[in-house]
């Protein structure tokens, strides 16, 4: 199959990864007439439960990966830490979208920041460190506070330490396991935003957002569109995203996470014409912050993933209006199993007609585990946040709500 051939409905698509992002991809693929084969180690994961075929195997089991890849027309994934050998084995059989080069960039924070900087994309000051003396030199150069992150493997704030003074350096280096790291200057941001983008083989790109995101305990808590940033700042974020999509020749869906820095926060010596957006990181897949696209847009991020992986041009997103998403973590579930949040409280309020519940089919609730989400559509972003957050609060009696 050549790279521009369109994969028609009826074909089977391959999904590496068995979580909720994979599950929502399967749902979107089914709606468009495709079958999906999921490969993931978990025999009863959210995506495997709804897939047409599921191979329960490790990503390092190249015999299973080969068999999986031979059974599908194209392969995509729902997490960026797909081992390179697994992606290469899939690529030998057909398209892997987004491609291996994009995966390699997103898997290593040093390569990611270096590639972005080389593309002319604004990123904060950073330095690669592979030893304690290099870290000490980097701290002397970038100052404190700064953030030390492992180059590979981190997510949801794992594998990171904030260095408040030079006294923290040795402990942080040891604590992260003396592995290759990136040191980043601490960014004084006003808010964090993301842009989810879909790009076709023909280069057409469609963007969602910017979406404003707030976190709790390093896990995404609430996302909202519009982001509240000025039109100029929003335009900057979209332009940067398009530059990244073109620069990396992404085919598929990719999320760009940004820091929106404070107005006037530029320090002396920095380019005063510099924009207000710095790229923090890339996720070459649909993103938690894009879940509101399921209800707040005519075409969701998952439908875009299906279409672009199949070689189609992404259709216009079709924004419907302000919306907010609130994650439902396992903390909302009663400690004593079996038990469920108070689902009957949803629908009790007038605003609930514009509220949508999505659950991922995970059998076991654990604190911090993403079990589902709520999306509220409303007249304003503020009302959408209020509706989503209040509905979530009703799901758990006060005693069970995790403290801040
Ligand atoms: P990351 O895994 O890179 O997305 O980082 C997780 C969170 O840590 C981000 O969402 C920010 O809230 C915070 N963070 C990461 N890097 C920086 C930085 N250089 N400056 C300030 N905050 C940061």
């Amino acid at each position: 199959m050549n790279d521009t051939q369109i994969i028609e409905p009826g074909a089977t698509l391959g999904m590496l990864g068995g979580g909720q992002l994979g599950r929502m991809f399967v749902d979107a693929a089914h709606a468009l007439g495709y079958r999906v084969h999921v490969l993931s180690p978990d025999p009863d994961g959210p995506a495997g439960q709804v897939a047409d075929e599921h191979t329960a195997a490790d990503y390092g089991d190249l015999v299973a990966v080969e068999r999986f890849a031979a059974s599908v027309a194209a392969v995509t994934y729902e997490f960026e830490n797909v081992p390179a050998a697994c992606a290469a084995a899939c690529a030998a059989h057909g398209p892997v979208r987004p491609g291996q080069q994009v995966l390699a960039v997103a898997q290593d924070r040093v390569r990611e920041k270096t590639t972005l900087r080389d593309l002319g994309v604004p990123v904060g000051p950073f330095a690669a460190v592979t030893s304690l003396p290099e870290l000490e030199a980097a701290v002397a150069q970038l100052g404190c506070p700064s953030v030390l992150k492992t180059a590979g493997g981190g997510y949801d704030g794992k594998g990171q330490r904030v260095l408040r003074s030079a006294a923290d350096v040795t402990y942080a280096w040891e604590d992260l396991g003396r592995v290759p790291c990136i040191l980043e200057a601490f960014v004084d941001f006003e808010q964090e935003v993301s842009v989810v983008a879909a790009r076709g083989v023909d280069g057409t790109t469609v963007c969602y957002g910017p979406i404003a995101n707030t976190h709790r305990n390093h896990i995404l808590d609430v996302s909202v569109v519009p982001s509240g940033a000025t039109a100029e700042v929003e335009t900057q974020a979209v332009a940067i995203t398009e530059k990244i999509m073109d620069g990396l020749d992404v085919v598929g869906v990719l999320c760009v996470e940004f820091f929106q820095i404070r107005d006037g926060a530029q320090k002396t010596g920095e380019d005063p014409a510099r924009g207000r957006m710095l790229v923090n990181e890339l996720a070459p897949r649909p993103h938690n912050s894009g879940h509101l696209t399921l209800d707040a847009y005519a075409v969701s991020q998952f439908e875009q993933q299906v279409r672009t992986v199949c070689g189609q041009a992404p259709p216009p997103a079709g924004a419907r209006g302000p919306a907010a998403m609130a994650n439902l973590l396992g903390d909302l579930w009663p400690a004593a199993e079996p038990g469920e949040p108070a689902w009957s409280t949803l629908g009790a309020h007038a605003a609930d007609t514009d509220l949508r519940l999505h659950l991922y089919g995970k059998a076991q609730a654990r604190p911090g585990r993403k079990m589902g989400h709520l999306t509220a559509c409303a007249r304003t972003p503020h009302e959408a946040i209020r509706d989503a957050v209040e509905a979530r609060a009703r799901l758990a009696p006060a005693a069970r709500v995790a403290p801040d």
Side-chain angles (χ1 to χ4, degrees):
M1 189 183 124
N2 71 45
D3 266 6
T4 52
Q5 204 171 319
I6 289 180
I7 299 168
E8 301 285 353
T12 302
L13 308 175
M15 164 55 69
L16 292 168
Q20 61 270 16
L21 298 174
R23 181 187 182 97
M24 291 183 263
F25 172 85
V26 174
D27 290 344
H30 283 168
L32 294 171
Y34 294 92
R35 294 167 50 80
V36 184
H37 185 168
V38 168
L39 184 139
S40 71
D42 183 355
D44 184 36
Q49 288 167 9
V50 296
D52 301 278
E53 207 175 328
H54 179 233
T55 297
D58 197 83
Y59 305 109
D61 177 350
L62 294 184
V63 175
V65 170
E66 290 272 355
R67 212 179 302 127
F68 158 80
S71 77
V72 300
V75 169
T76 188
Y77 43 89
E78 56 132 41
F79 68 114
E80 51 273 27
N81 288 317
V82 173
C86 173
C90 293
H93 288 271
V96 173
R97 290 175 174 155
Q100 290 158 281
Q101 182 218 351
V102 184
L103 261 179
V105 167
Q107 281 176 357
D108 184 297
R109 289 184 190 273
V110 174
R111 200 180 299 141
E112 183 175 69
K113 286 263 156 62
T114 309
T115 306
L116 290 171
R117 194 179 52 191
D118 292 349
L119 283 174
V121 165
V123 294
F126 70 92
V129 292
T130 58
S131 66
L132 188 55
E134 276 181 17
L135 176 57
E136 284 162 348
V139 170
Q141 182 201 337
L142 298 180
C144 285
S146 50
V147 188
L148 184 66
K149 305 177 178 179
T150 56
Y155 67 98
D156 284 346
K158 294 189 175 66
Q160 319 196 354
R161 298 291 177 272
V162 175
L163 308 183
R164 307 225 168 263
S165 77
D168 293 339
V169 167
T170 306
Y171 179 75
W173 176 249
E174 298 288 332
D175 201 29
L176 290 181
R178 305 183 207 172
V179 293
C181 282
I182 187 169
L183 185 74
E184 297 179 3
F186 195 88
V187 177
D188 176 25
F189 56 79
E190 184 173 325
Q191 62 173 358
E192 293 184 78
V193 305
S194 52
V195 174
V196 174
R199 184 169 177 275
V201 276
D202 66 346
T204 313
T205 301
V206 167
C207 290
Y208 295 81
I211 303 160
N213 302 313
T214 50
H215 299 81
R216 205 191 240 204
N217 300 326
H218 298 288
I219 301 173
L220 182 64
D221 185 41
V222 172
S223 293
V224 63
V225 276
S227 72
T230 61
E232 190 194 344
V233 169
E234 292 215 333
T235 305
Q236 261 172 31
V238 169
I240 291 168
T241 302
E242 288 171 347
K243 190 174 201 171
I244 294 169
M245 298 302 275
D246 289 340
L248 298 179
D249 194 16
V250 177
V251 176
V253 169
L254 180 143
C255 176
V256 184
E257 295 181 56
F258 292 91
F259 296 130
Q260 180 186 330
I261 57 179
R262 287 178 204 286
D263 201 7
Q266 287 100 341
K267 296 185 195 106
T268 324
E270 287 178 2
D271 177 5
R274 193 180 77 175
R276 301 253 317 271
M277 288 289 180
L278 295 180
V279 174
N280 175 29
E281 64 176 350
L282 308 177
R285 51 168 173 79
H287 191 260
N288 193 167
S289 63
H291 288 359
L292 47 70
T293 63
L294 284 165
D295 302 301
Y297 290 80
V299 180
S300 75
Q301 62 172 351
F302 303 102
E303 177 171 345
Q304 297 288 18
Q305 189 183 19
V306 175
R307 290 189 182 279
T308 50
V309 164
C310 288
Q312 300 176 24
R320 293 187 168 136
M325 186 251 12
N327 265 339
L328 304 180
L329 302 185
D331 312 58
L332 285 175
W333 268 245
E337 303 250 4
E340 289 288 319
W343 301 125
S344 60
T345 62
L346 301 180
H349 288 57
D352 289 357
T353 50
D354 290 321
L355 192 72
R356 292 286 176 274
L357 171 66
H358 298 261
L359 292 173
Y360 308 147
K362 296 183 184 178
Q364 276 209 314
R366 287 192 296 274
R369 191 173 197 206
K370 292 172 182 168
M371 302 295 288
H373 68 268
L374 284 169
T375 309
C377 296
R379 281 178 308 149
T380 67
H382 180 79
E383 286 178 17
I385 294 174
R386 181 201 61 198
D387 293 348
V389 169
E390 284 186 6
R392 179 173 64 181
R394 278 185 266 130
L395 289 174
R400 281 207 311 257
V401 176
D404 260 327

